[in-house]
Amino acid sequence: MCGIVGAVAERNITAILLEGLKRLEYRGYDSAGVAVFSNNGTLERVRRNGKVAELEQALAGEPLVGRLGIAHTRWATHGAPCERNAHPHFSGSDLAVVHNGIIENHEALREQLKGLGYVFTSDTDTEVIAHLLQHKLKEQSDLTAALKSTVKELHGAYGLAVISAKQPDRLVAARSGSPLVIGLGLGENFLASDQLALRQVTDRFMYLEEGDIAEIRRDSVHIWDVNGQTVERETVQYRDGAEAADKGEYRHYMLKEIHEQPAVVQRTLENRLGHDHVLVQAFGPQAAELFAKVRNVQIVACGTSYHAGMVARYWLESLAGIPCQVEVASEFRYRKVVVQPDTLFVSISQSGETADTLAALRNAKELGFLGSLAICNVGISSLVRESDLTLLTQAGREIGVASTKAFTTQLVGLLLLTLSLGQVRGTLEAGVEAQLVEELRRLPTRLGEALAMDTTIEKVAELFADKHHTLFLGRGAQFPVAMEGALKLKEISYIHAEAYPAGELKHGPLALVDNDMPVVTVAPNNELLEKLKSNLQEVRARGGELVVFADEQANMSDGEGTHVINMPHINDVLAPILYTIPLQLLSYYVAVLKGTDVDQPRNLAKSVTVE
Ligand code: HGA
């Protein structure tokens, strides 16, 4: 979501800014712009609606030359995607600002600033920052000091980069809720919302922390923390290949992608959380208005994305009180569907090009849905282009055919949707949103703890290598997690695996259980735990070998034929995200033991663009 690049150097920086924007374009954008302090002493700007290529073409005809500049690719939250709303935004002719995020009190600030005589030329929330900063500069001429006092009045999320023609020796930046990284060069320094944008010019980075303000000059970097104290941030030397399209230290892309989950979940949350609530506008400018009317949700997806939708159904009904149906796209598209009034159509797809999901969306447009939302990992995809609202997951490029990080980021997106719908419709229980926002902030750390169980799970995988069938059990929102676990095992190890809600066991599948059929179970510590334990007894009584991923507080321990792997305790709502990790690792290690082609399993393809 939106990309920022900035540079202060002794050479012309326009090409560096442009290359940075291109590297950020994988996130999907709707306009782009650049402003530089030109060699004739003025700020000059070029903006274009559409992709970075449009901007590049414009710059070819109208070159900008300067040694200080900022650039931006936009994914609109406030104001339509068009050139007038593209960043950088100016106040007067001497101040330029680029912004990632959402300013929640922009309306009040806009009124205040209009009253003071400032004239607005865009519909964005960002423009209030430019004028407010200009206003502060009247009282406090130092750009950094004025920015410090400006951010005190902003509510919401921001990553900001600012330049001024009056103080052209520096680039100033502020971070709260949206990431920013400083790239350190020799006699030149850079700024970006993602270090990928700067890999062309440096391999040394300094990551800003929440509340930081930075003053970046050619030969120095000065940072103040949230309390206004001068701080040093660690310089990180980038290890080549760790994020590029190679496997780095990992044996397979799939393992690398499993281990990327804390980082990509973190990225998916960035810009989207306020202090104690979800920023609804993260779903697009018309989201709040549309969400207020939603009385039902219809989710449509395929494969792993369908399982994410199944988890969301539990969340939407239990937390937001909104009836939800979930269906696989290849069925939905060919069925005569009866649409309840005021139903939001939600499609989920990693690539956004999944043929069945896309066809289902196109059919849905004829069926009288209230509106459509795409949860997708590729911003320039057809699904995103054709939906009214979008939530981009920030999983980055997923190369392993068996989806891992796309799934967990989809779950995060769906939980944000649940909380947003509940917030707008006033159906969440008091305090629930604030508590879950807090839990979401802690989620990347918890996922890291689950990943630390890697070697334990590798050992358990030995139990499966010579088996032909496996059963996965879960109850409640863990049932779809069990389905996803079974799908992973099937996809990459070619072992037949089926998932059942644990309560269904005695209605049929128990007939299959013997000592050749291991049973994998996910058991968080919730109100269904005791019932689940009884189901496990039913398996043990038939000689079935059990592998149980259990909450450390569930008091379950190893016994004859029962292998218990303790999981860190987590809030029950977020448990499906955490419990996905050990199941991914399990199928990965089983596949490695079986010697299959983990990243490119037979008969499958990554982006299913055919029916
Ligand atoms: N609110 C700003 C920036 C949007 C953004 O960060 N999107 O990811 C705008 O609408 O221009």
Side-chain angles (χ1 to χ4, degrees), residues 314-335:
Y314 287 89
W315 286 337
L316 281 160
E317 299 210 345
S318 67
L319 295 169
I322 297 179
C324 174
Q325 304 207 51
V326 191
E327 190 163 354
V328 288
S330 52
E331 286 299 311
F332 182 89
R333 65 181 288 195
Y334 290 117
R335 195 165 70 75

mmCIF file of all heavy atoms in Angstrom, residues 314-335:
data_model
loop_
_atom_site.group_PDB
_atom_site.id
_atom_site.type_symbol
_atom_site.label_atom_id
_atom_site.label_comp_id
_atom_site.label_asym_id
_atom_site.label_seq_id
_atom_site.Cartn_x
_atom_site.Cartn_y
_atom_site.Cartn_z
ATOM 1 N N TYR A 314 -16.464 -18.046 10.911
ATOM 2 C CA TYR A 314 -16.587 -18.140 12.376
ATOM 3 C C TYR A 314 -16.421 -16.755 12.996
ATOM 4 O O TYR A 314 -17.138 -16.382 13.906
ATOM 5 C CB TYR A 314 -15.532 -19.093 12.946
ATOM 6 C CG TYR A 314 -15.831 -20.547 12.661
ATOM 7 C CD1 TYR A 314 -15.385 -21.162 11.496
ATOM 8 C CD2 TYR A 314 -16.575 -21.308 13.562
ATOM 9 C CE1 TYR A 314 -15.665 -22.490 11.239
ATOM 10 C CE2 TYR A 314 -16.860 -22.652 13.308
ATOM 11 C CZ TYR A 314 -16.402 -23.235 12.141
ATOM 12 O OH TYR A 314 -16.691 -24.542 11.883
ATOM 13 N N TRP A 315 -15.444 -16.012 12.503
ATOM 14 C CA TRP A 315 -15.179 -14.678 13.067
ATOM 15 C C TRP A 315 -16.352 -13.726 12.809
ATOM 16 O O TRP A 315 -16.810 -13.034 13.714
ATOM 17 C CB TRP A 315 -13.918 -14.078 12.435
ATOM 18 C CG TRP A 315 -12.635 -14.686 12.896
ATOM 19 C CD1 TRP A 315 -12.413 -15.365 14.063
ATOM 20 C CD2 TRP A 315 -11.380 -14.659 12.205
ATOM 21 N NE1 TRP A 315 -11.102 -15.756 14.127
ATOM 22 C CE2 TRP A 315 -10.449 -15.335 13.018
ATOM 23 C CE3 TRP A 315 -10.955 -14.124 10.986
ATOM 24 C CZ2 TRP A 315 -9.110 -15.499 12.642
ATOM 25 C CZ3 TRP A 315 -9.627 -14.279 10.615
ATOM 26 C CH2 TRP A 315 -8.712 -14.959 11.442
ATOM 27 N N LEU A 316 -16.813 -13.705 11.553
ATOM 28 C CA LEU A 316 -17.862 -12.727 11.202
ATOM 29 C C LEU A 316 -19.137 -12.971 12.006
ATOM 30 O O LEU A 316 -19.788 -12.036 12.453
ATOM 31 C CB LEU A 316 -18.167 -12.814 9.702
ATOM 32 C CG LEU A 316 -17.141 -12.098 8.820
ATOM 33 C CD1 LEU A 316 -17.190 -12.600 7.390
ATOM 34 C CD2 LEU A 316 -17.389 -10.589 8.840
ATOM 35 N N GLU A 317 -19.469 -14.251 12.196
ATOM 36 C CA GLU A 317 -20.721 -14.529 12.909
ATOM 37 C C GLU A 317 -20.541 -14.330 14.414
ATOM 38 O O GLU A 317 -21.388 -13.745 15.070
ATOM 39 C CB GLU A 317 -21.222 -15.927 12.567
ATOM 40 C CG GLU A 317 -21.494 -16.036 11.056
ATOM 41 C CD GLU A 317 -22.592 -16.992 10.647
ATOM 42 O OE1 GLU A 317 -22.995 -17.822 11.483
ATOM 43 O OE2 GLU A 317 -23.043 -16.918 9.481
ATOM 44 N N SER A 318 -19.404 -14.824 14.968
ATOM 45 C CA SER A 318 -19.291 -14.766 16.432
ATOM 46 C C SER A 318 -18.866 -13.390 16.934
ATOM 47 O O SER A 318 -19.288 -12.962 17.991
ATOM 48 C CB SER A 318 -18.310 -15.826 16.938
ATOM 49 O OG SER A 318 -17.012 -15.508 16.502
ATOM 50 N N LEU A 319 -18.058 -12.661 16.167
ATOM 51 C CA LEU A 319 -17.588 -11.356 16.666
ATOM 52 C C LEU A 319 -18.460 -10.200 16.181
ATOM 53 O O LEU A 319 -18.796 -9.310 16.938
ATOM 54 C CB LEU A 319 -16.145 -11.097 16.207
ATOM 55 C CG LEU A 319 -15.071 -12.031 16.757
ATOM 56 C CD1 LEU A 319 -13.768 -11.823 16.014
ATOM 57 C CD2 LEU A 319 -14.867 -11.783 18.248
ATOM 58 N N ALA A 320 -18.786 -10.225 14.870
ATOM 59 C CA ALA A 320 -19.502 -9.075 14.307
ATOM 60 C C ALA A 320 -20.993 -9.345 14.165
ATOM 61 O O ALA A 320 -21.745 -8.449 13.779
ATOM 62 C CB ALA A 320 -18.899 -8.714 12.951
ATOM 63 N N GLY A 321 -21.425 -10.579 14.452
ATOM 64 C CA GLY A 321 -22.859 -10.901 14.380
ATOM 65 C C GLY A 321 -23.420 -10.792 12.969
ATOM 66 O O GLY A 321 -24.595 -10.506 12.784
ATOM 67 N N ILE A 322 -22.576 -11.024 11.960
ATOM 68 C CA ILE A 322 -23.043 -10.900 10.572
ATOM 69 C C ILE A 322 -23.105 -12.288 9.930
ATOM 70 O O ILE A 322 -22.101 -13.003 9.887
ATOM 71 C CB ILE A 322 -22.092 -9.986 9.761
ATOM 72 C CG1 ILE A 322 -22.139 -8.581 10.380
ATOM 73 C CG2 ILE A 322 -22.476 -9.946 8.290
ATOM 74 C CD1 ILE A 322 -21.250 -7.590 9.719
ATOM 75 N N PRO A 323 -24.287 -12.682 9.431
ATOM 76 C CA PRO A 323 -24.391 -13.995 8.788
ATOM 77 C C PRO A 323 -23.441 -14.082 7.602
ATOM 78 O O PRO A 323 -23.289 -13.110 6.852
ATOM 79 C CB PRO A 323 -25.844 -14.049 8.298
ATOM 80 C CG PRO A 323 -26.554 -12.941 8.992
ATOM 81 C CD PRO A 323 -25.536 -11.924 9.383
ATOM 82 N N CYS A 324 -22.802 -15.229 7.450
ATOM 83 C CA CYS A 324 -21.790 -15.360 6.396
ATOM 84 C C CYS A 324 -21.897 -16.722 5.729
ATOM 85 O O CYS A 324 -22.070 -17.740 6.393
ATOM 86 C CB CYS A 324 -20.398 -15.187 7.027
ATOM 87 S SG CYS A 324 -19.059 -15.493 5.891
ATOM 88 N N GLN A 325 -21.799 -16.726 4.427
ATOM 89 C CA GLN A 325 -21.742 -17.981 3.679
ATOM 90 C C GLN A 325 -20.410 -18.029 2.943
ATOM 91 O O GLN A 325 -19.914 -16.991 2.498
ATOM 92 C CB GLN A 325 -22.846 -18.012 2.642
ATOM 93 C CG GLN A 325 -24.208 -17.820 3.255
ATOM 94 C CD GLN A 325 -25.260 -18.490 2.413
ATOM 95 O OE1 GLN A 325 -25.126 -19.663 2.065
ATOM 96 N NE2 GLN A 325 -26.289 -17.755 2.074
ATOM 97 N N VAL A 326 -19.871 -19.230 2.803
ATOM 98 C CA VAL A 326 -18.588 -19.381 2.108
ATOM 99 C C VAL A 326 -18.763 -20.492 1.073
ATOM 100 O O VAL A 326 -19.332 -21.537 1.381
ATOM 101 C CB VAL A 326 -17.465 -19.801 3.085
ATOM 102 C CG1 VAL A 326 -16.098 -19.694 2.421
ATOM 103 C CG2 VAL A 326 -17.494 -18.970 4.349
ATOM 104 N N GLU A 327 -18.262 -20.253 -0.111
ATOM 105 C CA GLU A 327 -18.419 -21.274 -1.143
ATOM 106 C C GLU A 327 -17.212 -21.291 -2.075
ATOM 107 O O GLU A 327 -16.600 -20.242 -2.324
ATOM 108 C CB GLU A 327 -19.692 -20.977 -1.948
ATOM 109 C CG GLU A 327 -20.061 -22.105 -2.874
ATOM 110 C CD GLU A 327 -21.504 -22.025 -3.364
ATOM 111 O OE1 GLU A 327 -22.255 -21.149 -2.897
ATOM 112 O OE2 GLU A 327 -21.854 -22.843 -4.225
ATOM 113 N N VAL A 328 -16.903 -22.485 -2.593
ATOM 114 C CA VAL A 328 -15.800 -22.545 -3.563
ATOM 115 C C VAL A 328 -16.290 -21.931 -4.870
ATOM 116 O O VAL A 328 -17.444 -22.125 -5.285
ATOM 117 C CB VAL A 328 -15.266 -23.976 -3.798
ATOM 118 C CG1 VAL A 328 -14.484 -24.479 -2.610
ATOM 119 C CG2 VAL A 328 -16.366 -24.932 -4.132
ATOM 120 N N ALA A 329 -15.399 -21.187 -5.514
ATOM 121 C CA ALA A 329 -15.788 -20.383 -6.671
ATOM 122 C C ALA A 329 -16.310 -21.231 -7.824
ATOM 123 O O ALA A 329 -17.245 -20.839 -8.524
ATOM 124 C CB ALA A 329 -14.592 -19.553 -7.125
ATOM 125 N N SER A 330 -15.708 -22.414 -8.026
ATOM 126 C CA SER A 330 -16.110 -23.217 -9.184
ATOM 127 C C SER A 330 -17.542 -23.734 -9.037
ATOM 128 O O SER A 330 -18.196 -24.054 -10.030
ATOM 129 C CB SER A 330 -15.147 -24.387 -9.376
ATOM 130 O OG SER A 330 -15.033 -25.097 -8.159
ATOM 131 N N GLU A 331 -18.050 -23.802 -7.813
ATOM 132 C CA GLU A 331 -19.452 -24.163 -7.589
ATOM 133 C C GLU A 331 -20.333 -22.926 -7.708
ATOM 134 O O GLU A 331 -21.343 -22.926 -8.393
ATOM 135 C CB GLU A 331 -19.622 -24.782 -6.193
ATOM 136 C CG GLU A 331 -19.093 -26.190 -6.089
ATOM 137 C CD GLU A 331 -19.822 -27.125 -7.060
ATOM 138 O OE1 GLU A 331 -21.055 -27.107 -7.090
ATOM 139 O OE2 GLU A 331 -19.126 -27.844 -7.810
ATOM 140 N N PHE A 332 -19.905 -21.903 -7.027
ATOM 141 C CA PHE A 332 -20.713 -20.679 -6.973
ATOM 142 C C PHE A 332 -21.026 -20.161 -8.375
ATOM 143 O O PHE A 332 -22.143 -19.754 -8.670
ATOM 144 C CB PHE A 332 -19.965 -19.626 -6.158
ATOM 145 C CG PHE A 332 -20.709 -18.335 -5.994
ATOM 146 C CD1 PHE A 332 -21.573 -18.147 -4.928
ATOM 147 C CD2 PHE A 332 -20.568 -17.308 -6.925
ATOM 148 C CE1 PHE A 332 -22.284 -16.950 -4.788
ATOM 149 C CE2 PHE A 332 -21.269 -16.118 -6.787
ATOM 150 C CZ PHE A 332 -22.116 -15.948 -5.715
ATOM 151 N N ARG A 333 -20.025 -20.194 -9.230
ATOM 152 C CA ARG A 333 -20.191 -19.544 -10.532
ATOM 153 C C ARG A 333 -21.214 -20.245 -11.424
ATOM 154 O O ARG A 333 -21.731 -19.650 -12.348
ATOM 155 C CB ARG A 333 -18.841 -19.428 -11.255
ATOM 156 C CG ARG A 333 -18.214 -20.741 -11.622
ATOM 157 C CD ARG A 333 -16.871 -20.560 -12.303
ATOM 158 N NE ARG A 333 -16.999 -20.036 -13.645
ATOM 159 C CZ ARG A 333 -16.020 -20.060 -14.540
ATOM 160 N NH1 ARG A 333 -14.837 -20.549 -14.211
ATOM 161 N NH2 ARG A 333 -16.211 -19.586 -15.743
ATOM 162 N N TYR A 334 -21.459 -21.524 -11.169
ATOM 163 C CA TYR A 334 -22.373 -22.257 -12.044
ATOM 164 C C TYR A 334 -23.706 -22.581 -11.377
ATOM 165 O O TYR A 334 -24.486 -23.371 -11.875
ATOM 166 C CB TYR A 334 -21.722 -23.558 -12.530
ATOM 167 C CG TYR A 334 -20.607 -23.284 -13.509
ATOM 168 C CD1 TYR A 334 -19.290 -23.641 -13.217
ATOM 169 C CD2 TYR A 334 -20.872 -22.643 -14.710
ATOM 170 C CE1 TYR A 334 -18.265 -23.371 -14.107
ATOM 171 C CE2 TYR A 334 -19.853 -22.367 -15.605
ATOM 172 C CZ TYR A 334 -18.557 -22.729 -15.299
ATOM 173 O OH TYR A 334 -17.558 -22.449 -16.189
ATOM 174 N N ARG A 335 -23.920 -22.022 -10.217
ATOM 175 C CA ARG A 335 -25.128 -22.354 -9.463
ATOM 176 C C ARG A 335 -26.095 -21.180 -9.559
ATOM 177 O O ARG A 335 -25.675 -20.035 -9.665
ATOM 178 C CB ARG A 335 -24.683 -22.549 -7.998
ATOM 179 C CG ARG A 335 -25.615 -23.214 -7.106
ATOM 180 C CD ARG A 335 -24.869 -23.630 -5.843
ATOM 181 N NE ARG A 335 -24.467 -22.524 -4.993
ATOM 182 C CZ ARG A 335 -25.290 -21.832 -4.213
ATOM 183 N NH1 ARG A 335 -26.578 -22.117 -4.181
ATOM 184 N NH2 ARG A 335 -24.840 -20.845 -3.454
#
